[in-house]
Amino acid sequence: MINSDDRSFRLKLWAWSSGITTLLLIWFVVRQYFTPEFFVLDGYAQVLVLGLFALVHLAIVVSGFIKQGRRTGRGLMLPGLFLALGLATVWSIGRLEHKRESVPTVLSAYFDGDINGVGLDLRTDGTYRAVDASVLGGPTFYGTYRLAGDTIELMDEQFRLDDEVWRYGKHMVVDGDSIRFLSGPSGWSPVMRVTEDRRR
């Protein structure tokens, strides 16, 4: 009876620990894709979440081999499904991220301030990538744009999981080797220097 209870507890522990770490991994990669930002500790967070996911599933497999029984195969099915779901999510989001980041740029500009930086990449597929970064990090925005001569209009912003907004104007103009904002909050408005221009 004790062995049966121990086995039942072990199978439940496998399922719960596998499910929780898989949901944590899925939440992490989906949030990073739909709420992109730069943060100085991003690398450590990725290692922590992926490492925890891998460690838990490795421990489940090792435990299953060490303490084999009649119900072991059935007990490993749910953790196996969670493992496959987690890996499939990482692979799918990774492909989407690669596709989003590998689009060639038409026009790139950047402002490098004392403690913050503002960047803009207009891409060949009609989308933009805008960065509003500080010393520790900051949000990245994606959306569509309209380019008419030297006038740029940032249009629809892609879906985000948080309420961060682009703080600067959506209208700007290319003025030689710089880009000036034509609309936006009163006060400070950075002038970005053009780092790449393939419009011609």
Side-chain angles (χ1 to χ4, degrees):
M1 184 69 178
I2 295 176
N3 289 339
S4 176
D5 289 344
D6 287 347
R7 191 162 44 240
S8 177
F9 173 77
R10 188 169 68 248
L11 298 182
K12 289 177 182 176
L13 180 64
W14 289 353
W16 276 102
S17 59
S18 175
I20 290 171
T21 54
T22 299
L23 288 175
L24 176 64
L25 178 67
I26 291 172
W27 171 82
F28 182 78
V29 296
V30 167
R31 182 160 182 84
Q32 282 215 315
Y33 181 77
F34 287 107
T35 313
E37 63 181 357
F38 161 76
F39 186 59
V40 292
L41 300 178
D42 279 346
Y44 297 109
Q46 290 173 359
V47 169
L48 177 65
V49 173
L50 288 170
L52 181 63
F53 175 79
L55 184 64
V56 164
H57 286 88
L58 180 62
I60 290 171
V61 171
V62 170
S63 176
F65 277 110
I66 291 175
K67 298 185 177 182
Q68 293 186 17
R70 287 181 295 119
R71 296 171 56 191
T72 300
R74 203 166 16 154
L76 287 173
M77 285 180 62
L78 196 54
L81 288 173
F82 282 131
L83 175 64
L85 178 62
L87 293 176
T89 303
V90 170
W91 181 79
S92 300
I93 295 293
R95 280 182 55 105
L96 289 173
E97 181 73 23
H98 176 73
K99 182 178 178 183
R100 180 168 74 180
E101 293 302 321
S102 62
V103 179
T105 58
V106 174
L107 182 68
S108 294
Y110 193 74
F111 168 81
D112 191 5
D114 295 334
I115 59 171
N116 64 310
V118 181
L120 178 67
D121 294 320
L122 304 182
R123 283 108 76 88
T124 56
D125 64 351
T127 63
Y128 70 84
R129 176 180 183 268
V131 179
D132 182 7
S134 65
V135 174
L136 296 178
T140 302
F141 303 92
Y142 293 90
T144 58
Y145 71 90
R146 178 184 296 132
L147 179 61
D150 288 335
T151 303
I152 303 166
E153 180 185 3
L154 304 186
M155 300 172 69
D156 299 326
E157 194 173 293
Q158 292 178 356
F159 175 74
R160 292 179 63 86
L161 294 176
D162 64 6
D163 56 358
E164 286 276 10
V165 294
W166 178 243
R167 296 185 298 159
Y168 312 101
K170 298 266 183 162
H171 294 84
M172 55 201 81
V173 64
V174 181
D175 184 9
D177 291 333
S178 62
I179 293 181
R180 293 183 297 105
F181 290 94
L182 299 178
S183 63
S186 59
W188 181 74
S189 184
V191 175
M192 296 184 288
R193 60 184 170 80
V194 174
T195 57
E196 183 178 14
D197 190 349
R198 297 184 178 179
R199 291 176 297 163
R200 299 170 188 85

